[in-house]
Amino acid sequence: MCLAIPMQLVSRREFDGTAELRGVRRQVSLVLCPEAAIGDHVLVHAGYAIGTVDAEEAAKTLALFDEAIAAEEAS
Amino acid sequence: MKRTDAWSDPRHVQRLRRRIDAIAARLPRPVTFMEVCGTHTHAIAAAGLRRILPPNVRLISGPGCPVCVTPVDYLDHALALAARDDVTIATFGDLMRVPASRRRSLERAVAEGADVRVVYSPRDALALAAENRDRRVVFLAVGFETTVPTMAAALAEAEELGVGNFLLLCGSKVIEPPLRALVQDPEVRVDGFLLPGHVSVILGSDAYAFLTADYGVPGVIAGFTPVDVQLALLALIRQLVQGEAVIENRYPRVVSAAGNRRAQELIARFFAPADTRWRGLGAIPGSGLVLREEWAHRDAARLPVDLPTSVEPKGCRCGEVLKGVIEPPACPLFDRGCVPEHPIGACMVSSEGTCAAWYRHERHARQAVAT
């Protein structure tokens, strides 16, 4: 029930946004996440954006993952 | 975002599996971890992650499915409201088939003529209320901290637009009190928690400091792809190998230390903590959310209805499943009368329920291993 999907914000008018994932568009409310800018990935839950996805942190986690793999392969 | 597929690439899963095996070999004793999020339950079962854990690492499911922990009397109350001529019930789809007392359900109530609508968002329920001013639209407010801000946002909008016929039947819950109850429960032995990623988007990682400060139990916030879950498990195992107990955030792409402040403020504006009952865990002080007194006019629990005496389904062991004390096959009803098509207990209804996840993803795999 706490499923939330990262979607890209493609347009917004005040607190009403449109977000897209693989060609599917949905209306999302931005009242819980007013800082979201067009182009951002927002986390969508029950019709509301509840947060933004930090691309830099995503890259860091994947780097961490690469590190774990490298350590595994070295051992 | 590039490399999205890396989060669930089977080759990466296999590599991380070997890494987990290598580090787990250094554990001083077998360990048990608990996840407390229905989305984790589902994701872990669907990816088959439990089956590839080393034998000294056990991962159990806790009370993370909001529908499953909702006690029978809440559903009885919803059905009693649905029986009123002036009420339209609006609900997330998950609740439709959850058994109420005497094998009744919202789905059956619809067949008997009740006005029950499945909505995707509390905002859809608000729109329904705005379009049908002659009816009371009661939204079944069941969820954890991820979902509660969306209810609060809909309430704020209802106030702003003057939609007075939008009401809530409050059944939402918060995560800290049950975590405290679980770590103190002698029946449950948990060495570390896989903490819920999307609840944490709202609460922030600082919200779990009590786990380490008060109980010395570690926790790692995890996302929902196989790689996310494995990285979090790896972090938990490493902590236990090194004798540490800290809260780690392994989902920093969406979870911050402080969480979503705006969402927290909205929750606090409309809701106040209250004692509430959990299926399986019983009454837990301060674990529920009810409307503050100033919003009493939006509280559907104040509408007069005749409430029946609530009865839990006979033989159902959902309660023990929710605490991770037993695994679903230990229940006498599992796959013997209780199946997703005809659920007897709540844990078999939602795809996030532990029994439903086992039934769909682990049952055949276990049988295959056993034969």
Side-chain angles (χ1 to χ4, degrees):
Chain A
M1 211 175 199
C2 290
L3 190 66
I5 310 288
M7 298 179 83
Q8 189 167 31
L9 191 63
V10 292
S11 70
R12 72 173 287 178
R13 228 180 85 190
E14 288 186 54
F15 294 116
D16 291 315
T18 303
E20 184 181 290
L21 175 70
R22 296 192 192 111
V24 178
R25 291 190 170 203
R26 246 189 201 291
Q27 296 307 117
V28 295
S29 166
L30 300 171
V31 291
L32 299 173
C33 192
E35 72 280 8
I38 291 167
D40 282 354
H41 282 83
V42 290
L43 203 55
V44 179
H45 172 73
Y48 290 81
I50 59 166
T52 53
V53 183
D54 186 326
E56 206 173 298
E57 287 293 352
K60 270 197 230 162
T61 302
L62 278 175
L64 195 76
F65 158 64
D66 284 340
E67 233 171 73
I69 296 303
E72 185 256 324
E73 284 171 350
S75 63
Chain B
M1 279 203 309
K2 286 177 188 164
R3 300 192 55 193
T4 304
D5 295 338
W7 300 102
S8 52
D9 186 327
R11 286 169 307 170
H12 294 169
V13 171
Q14 286 307 320
R15 288 164 155 185
L16 274 169
R17 172 191 186 172
R18 290 196 291 273
R19 186 72 192 140
I20 287 171
D21 285 351
I23 296 189
R26 288 155 52 198
L27 281 168
R29 57 182 173 81
V31 294
T32 300
F33 300 133
M34 179 183 268
E35 50 83 3
V36 287
C37 169
T39 311
H40 274 146
T41 308
H42 177 76
I44 289 164
L49 290 180
R50 196 173 280 114
R51 294 196 300 278
I52 61 168
L53 286 176
N56 59 342
V57 176
R58 189 163 162 253
L59 176 58
I60 58 177
S61 296
C65 159
V67 166
C68 307
V69 297
T70 298
V72 136
D73 57 283
Y74 179 88
L75 285 148
D76 290 337
H77 201 153
L79 285 168
L81 285 166
R84 281 178 58 117
D85 291 341
D86 59 343
V87 166
T88 295
I89 298 285
T91 177
F92 290 132
D94 299 45
L95 277 170
M96 288 298 285
R97 297 172 62 231
V98 177
S101 295
R102 298 163 200 90
R103 304 209 73 168
R104 301 196 71 231
S105 69
L106 287 164
E107 197 175 52
R108 287 198 177 189
V110 172
E112 290 159 12
D115 187 6
V116 181
R117 318 281 182 94
V118 171
V119 292
Y120 161 72
S121 167
R123 221 183 173 197
D124 299 339
L126 172 61
L128 204 57
E131 287 159 17
N132 299 279
R133 298 287 183 133
D134 56 330
R135 300 191 61 79
R136 289 184 165 102
V137 174
V138 175
F139 180 69
L140 300 185
V142 167
F144 289 121
E145 286 97 331
T146 316
T147 314
V148 178
T150 70
M151 301 166 188
L155 283 169
E157 201 174 348
E159 285 294 315
E160 207 176 302
L161 301 174
V163 183
N165 59 327
F166 174 66
L167 285 76
L168 259 54
L169 183 63
C170 294
S172 292
K173 293 178 164 56
V174 293
I175 197 74
E176 181 180 326
L179 285 178
R180 284 185 185 273
L182 283 165
V183 287
Q184 294 179 88
D185 189 326
E187 255 193 305
V188 183
R189 291 199 47 149
V190 178
D191 298 295
F193 286 100
L194 203 66
L195 295 168
H198 292 150
V199 162
S200 305
V201 168
I202 305 300
L203 294 183
S205 55
D206 288 349
Y208 304 102
F210 72 92
L211 273 179
T212 53
D214 297 351
Y215 310 104
V217 174
V220 176
I221 297 167
F224 298 94
T225 67
V227 164
D228 278 317
V229 172
Q230 284 180 302
L231 283 172
L233 287 171
L234 199 56
L236 275 174
I237 295 167
R238 186 175 285 130
Q239 283 198 38
L240 291 182
V241 164
Q242 294 171 349
E244 290 173 358
V246 293
I247 301 299
E248 285 183 73
N249 177 7
R250 289 299 159 105
Y251 198 29
R253 60 189 186 277
V254 291
V255 175
S256 64
N260 183 333
R261 287 262 166 80
R262 196 181 175 85
Q264 292 165 13
E265 283 162 15
L266 262 174
I267 294 176
R269 179 180 162 203
F270 287 97
F271 298 100
D275 300 349
T276 194
R277 289 197 315 105
W278 294 57
R279 196 191 298 261
L281 305 183
I284 304 179
S287 66
L289 290 174
V290 293
L291 285 164
R292 291 189 177 281
E293 195 55 39
E294 63 180 304
W295 314 111
H297 57 288
R298 300 209 176 263
D299 189 355
R302 294 179 188 240
L303 297 177
V305 284
D306 289 327
L307 290 176
T309 315
S310 294
V311 202
E312 293 285 346
K314 208 177 159 198
C316 171
R317 295 181 73 184
C318 268
E320 291 155 280
V321 170
L322 286 167
K323 281 165 67 171
V325 172
I326 63 164
E327 287 181 337
C331 174
L333 301 180
F334 182 79
D335 201 10
R336 288 182 287 270
C338 186
V339 293
E341 292 72 31
H342 303 285
I344 295 174
C347 301
M348 190 58 94
V349 180
S350 161
S351 63
E352 297 191 346
T354 306
C355 294
W358 269 75
Y359 187 89
R360 285 179 213 278
H361 300 292
E362 314 225 25
R363 186 175 50 120
H364 296 299
R366 294 276 161 148
Q367 283 166 356
V369 169
T371 50

